[in-house]
Amino acid sequence: AETFRIDRPLTEARKHLSFGSGVHFCLGAPVARLEAKIAFGKLVKALPNLRLDGPTERIGSWMHWGRVKLPVAWS
């Protein structure tokens, strides 16, 4: 969880708590996942050489998951 890995195995990726769990599971999770799948697909198609370009920095909150800094480059 502390490492940004786009190639993380699906079995590991499904263990995250982004959308909650049990009765508190987010009803919009499937839509959010579909949006992300479409957006990343378009991004990879538009910028096929997109790559990380330096260290990332996580948001310092236990409540939020994400990056403050995610440097990328493409050619």
Side-chain angles (χ1 to χ4, degrees):
E2 297 296 322
T3 304
F4 178 77
R5 283 189 38 218
I6 197 79
D7 63 337
R8 189 179 305 274
L10 192 54
T11 54
E12 284 184 33
R14 287 186 173 153
K15 293 179 183 177
H16 67 81
L17 298 176
S18 299
F19 297 118
S21 176
V23 297
H24 300 288
F25 189 76
C26 176
L27 294 176
V31 174
R33 286 192 183 108
L34 180 60
E35 287 175 342
K37 183 178 180 178
I38 291 169
F40 279 116
K42 288 183 178 280
L43 184 65
V44 168
K45 193 178 257 187
L47 302 169
N49 296 319
L50 186 67
R51 64 189 179 282
L52 285 175
D53 190 38
T56 67
E57 183 182 331
R58 282 194 65 168
I59 292 173
S61 168
W62 63 270
M63 280 181 31
H64 300 100
W65 189 93
R67 300 284 162 194
V68 172
K69 182 176 159 185
L70 184 67
V72 295
W74 64 90
S75 52

